[in-house]
Amino acid sequence: MKLYYSPGACSMASHIVLRELGETFELERVDTATKKTETGSDFRAVNSKGKVPALAVDGEVLTEGPSILQFVADRAGDRHLAPMAGTLDRARVNEVLNFTGTELHVAFHPLFNPASDDAAKEAGRRNVGTKFDWLEAKLADGRHYLTGQNFTVADAYAFVASNWANFTGIDLGAWPKLKAFVERVAARPAAQAAMKAEGLIA
C-alpha cells in the first residue's frame, strides 16, 4: 500500500489509522499547490481530483478519506476502529465521519484560503465554533472518544480537523472537553509516529 499525503492535511487521519493497525505501507508526499509528488510525478495521474489522501492498493487507487479509513480498518478486521457494518455502533462512527467531512472540514476552508479577507476569516472562525459546539456536546458524558470509549476511524479524522484550530487562531480552550480529546488522540503512539513522519513534531 502507498498513501499519498500532505503534512497535517486530512490525509493524516489515514496515516494515523494505518499506524494504529500496524500496516506496512509507503508514504509519498504531495504538494497540493503544484499537484506534484515528491518524486516529481503528476499527482493528478494518481487522483484526477488532485486531492489527498489517495491510497494505492491492490493495483487500484482509492480516494476520499472516510472511504480509505473504513476500508483499511475493515480489511484488517479491526472492530474497535470500525465496528461491524449494520450495527448502530458503525452508524455512529459514520455519523461522526460524515459530520467531520461535510461540516467541520468544510468550515475551515475560509481560514486556509489566502484570498479570504479578515471579515471572511472571522466568519469562518465563528462557523467552526458551531461545529466544535457539537463535538463538545458529544463528549459531555465523559466518554474518551466521540462514539464511546474506543478510539475509532472517526476520531482520527475529527482529531486532525479539530487540531487545525491551532493554526487558524482558534483557542480550543473554549471547548475544554474537545481540547482534552485532541490532546488524548495526539498522545497516542500512532498519532505521534504519524506527526513525526510528516515533519510536524520533532
Side-chain angles (χ1 to χ4, degrees):
M1 285 190 288
K2 179 188 284 188
L3 177 68
Y4 293 85
Y5 79 100
S6 181
C10 58
S11 51
M12 190 166 72
S14 298
H15 189 177
I16 290 169
V17 168
L18 286 168
R19 290 184 181 274
E20 288 276 350
L21 292 166
E23 293 282 3
T24 299
F25 62 97
E26 299 175 64
L27 287 171
E28 185 152 356
R29 182 172 176 161
V30 175
D31 184 326
T32 53
T34 65
K35 310 301 181 189
K36 294 289 186 183
T37 73
E38 62 185 306
T39 58
S41 60
D42 183 357
F43 180 56
R44 284 166 295 200
V46 177
N47 179 9
S48 60
K49 292 174 279 191
K51 304 284 189 181
V52 293
L55 184 73
V57 56
D58 298 338
E60 298 193 25
V61 174
L62 182 62
T63 65
E64 301 298 330
S67 294
I68 293 170
L69 290 166
Q70 293 176 84
F71 169 76
V72 295
D74 286 340
R75 187 185 198 206
D78 192 304
R79 294 303 177 207
H80 291 298
L81 284 168
M84 186 174 293
T87 64
L88 184 57
D89 286 344
R90 181 58 169 261
R92 290 298 185 194
V93 167
N94 285 334
E95 178 183 35
V96 175
L97 280 174
N98 286 324
F99 173 82
T100 302
T102 64
E103 298 284 339
L104 180 59
H105 188 153
V106 171
F108 273 98
H109 285 181
L111 303 177
F112 288 121
N113 184 350
S116 295
D117 60 19
D118 289 344
K121 288 184 177 181
E122 186 53 38
R125 290 186 187 97
R126 289 195 300 271
N127 190 28
V128 169
T130 67
K131 314 311 175 188
F132 283 171
D133 290 342
W134 189 80
L135 295 175
E136 183 79 1
K138 294 289 284 183
L139 297 162
D141 61 2
R143 65 183 66 185
H144 285 173
Y145 299 105
L146 289 165
T147 63
Q149 295 305 109
N150 291 324
F151 177 80
T152 74
V153 295
D155 295 299
Y157 189 11
F159 158 72
V160 171
S162 297
N163 195 49
W164 293 337
N166 294 311
F167 307 98
T168 54
I170 300 173
D171 181 6
L172 275 177
W175 300 271
K177 294 184 186 305
L178 179 59
K179 181 179 181 182
F181 161 81
V182 168
E183 292 170 350
R184 188 177 303 120
V185 177
R188 293 179 71 87
Q192 288 284 302
M195 289 187 286
K196 285 178 182 175
E198 295 190 13
L200 301 174
I201 60 175

